[in-house]
Amino acid sequence: MDAWFIPAESNKVIICNHFSPGNRYGYPGHLDEYNTSGGFEVNFIPKYKALHDAGYNVLTYDMRNHGTSQEANDGISTVGAYEWQDVVGSINYIRNREDTKDYRISLQSNCMGAEATFIALEKMPEAFESVEALVAAQPLSGEPMIQRMVDGAGMSPEMYDVAIEAYDKALREQTGFGVDRYDMPKIAHLVKIPTLLLQVKEDLMTKPFDMENIYANLGTEDKKLVWVEGTPMRFHGYTYFSEKPEEMIEWFNAHMK
């Protein structure tokens, strides 16, 4: 994996896990060839600077099949179903480097990175035993996403089940995983780390009930949900902490005293 390590004068590190199709930098949506989600850039650099200035080391990396990291799984992104191993690998990297092995660790995970984090907690919970806090932006479940696609195509809700079945068949043929692999509320109870969730409320890719159910099912009582309102653009959830890092930093400060 290709990564950036941004050092600070502390023993606290935030590992940042990006969304798809972005990378550790963000996403160049302001360029014509990448203008698929609102026409604006996602730039994580201000977020990293805010974390650094608050006294946190930052580790951020390109997940498999993204950015300049290596290809894996025949170049197919599984949006967390295999990428969970990258999350665990990033934690192990900090724990096995001589100069960072005693660092205190928290995570800031976005969409694919958040789903990979949730699945990693299911697959290898022991890797998270000393992880102190999580800020997760927009983990996404399969069924509400498909429902939104049906709505966007102008079809009746009566088509939801038909569309989910067709999507599930195509997904299994391509990746070996079904839509049920991406049921984030179902595995949210495994997230026992103090967790701040963030979601664009009118997100055109999902429905509010998905995040409401994820939040309700979290396996911790130490939790907070931040809604981003006034936009239907999912990517505004990714720019939020670069533009308004205060809530993120307050969360980490409160849990990494």
Side-chain angles (χ1 to χ4, degrees):
M1 296 294 170
D2 284 353
W4 295 329
F5 182 78
I6 305 169
E9 295 297 322
S10 79
N11 69 336
K12 296 178 287 187
V13 61
I14 309 300
I15 299 174
C16 296
N17 303 291
H18 64 78
F19 67 99
S20 182
N23 56 37
R24 60 189 144 154
Y25 135 75
Y27 189 76
H30 57 301
L31 302 179
D32 288 344
E33 59 266 44
Y34 299 102
N35 182 2
T36 59
S37 298
F40 57 89
E41 180 183 26
V42 176
N43 183 355
F44 289 145
I45 305 303
K47 176 179 70 177
Y48 302 147
K49 183 179 187 301
L51 288 167
H52 172 270
D53 291 350
Y56 294 98
N57 298 273
V58 176
L59 174 65
T60 180
Y61 65 99
D62 292 340
M63 287 189 167
R64 62 187 65 195
N65 301 313
H66 290 77
T68 57
S69 283
Q70 293 82 359
E71 183 178 298
N73 315 118
D74 294 325
I76 297 172
S77 171
T78 59
V79 198
Y82 284 132
E83 290 81 0
W84 69 267
Q85 297 169 83
D86 302 342
V87 176
V88 172
S90 68
I91 295 170
N92 288 341
Y93 175 78
I94 292 295
R95 288 179 175 154
N96 287 288
R97 246 177 68 159
E98 187 61 31
D99 57 338
T100 63
K101 64 182 181 181
D102 297 320
Y103 276 19
R104 300 168 62 192
I105 299 171
S106 288
L107 306 178
Q108 200 283 297
S109 301
N110 302 284
C111 189
M112 175 180 68
E115 291 160 33
T117 300
F118 279 35
I119 295 170
L121 280 155
E122 175 188 35
K123 297 287 189 179
M124 196 174 290
E126 63 273 16
F128 294 81
E129 287 177 358
S130 62
V131 172
E132 299 184 32
L134 170 63
V135 174
Q138 307 193 133
L140 178 66
S141 297
E143 289 198 8
M145 180 190 72
I146 298 164
Q147 291 176 6
R148 269 293 197 191
M149 292 167 65
V150 170
D151 296 342
M155 294 187 287
S156 165
E158 294 177 356
M159 294 298 295
Y160 285 167
D161 289 345
V162 174
I164 290 168
E165 183 179 352
Y167 195 101
D168 183 81
K169 182 176 184 293
L171 185 65
R172 288 181 187 277
E173 289 174 352
Q174 185 176 36
T175 70
F177 297 101
V179 172
D180 58 346
R181 171 64 283 182
Y182 304 97
D183 186 342
M184 294 299 109
K186 183 178 179 180
I187 60 174
H189 70 281
L190 301 169
V191 182
K192 303 180 187 300
I193 305 163
T195 299
L196 184 155
L197 293 172
L198 178 136
Q199 176 66 51
V200 170
K201 193 164 191 177
E202 299 303 322
D203 184 355
L204 293 173
M205 282 191 66
T206 188
K207 298 194 172 188
F209 74 79
D210 187 40
M211 180 55 72
E212 291 165 354
N213 290 338
I214 292 170
Y215 179 76
N217 292 352
L218 285 174
T220 175
E221 293 300 316
D222 191 351
K223 57 186 178 179
K224 180 179 179 180
L225 173 55
V226 176
W227 290 111
V228 180
E229 302 197 57
T231 176
M233 296 298 178
R234 182 172 181 81
F235 276 28
H236 280 136
Y238 306 141
T239 62
Y240 187 88
F241 290 127
S242 286
E243 297 167 354
K244 300 176 181 179
E246 295 81 11
E247 287 165 296
M248 171 186 66
I249 290 171
E250 287 174 6
W251 191 259
F252 289 135
N253 286 349
H255 295 91
M256 300 184 78
K257 292 179 181 177

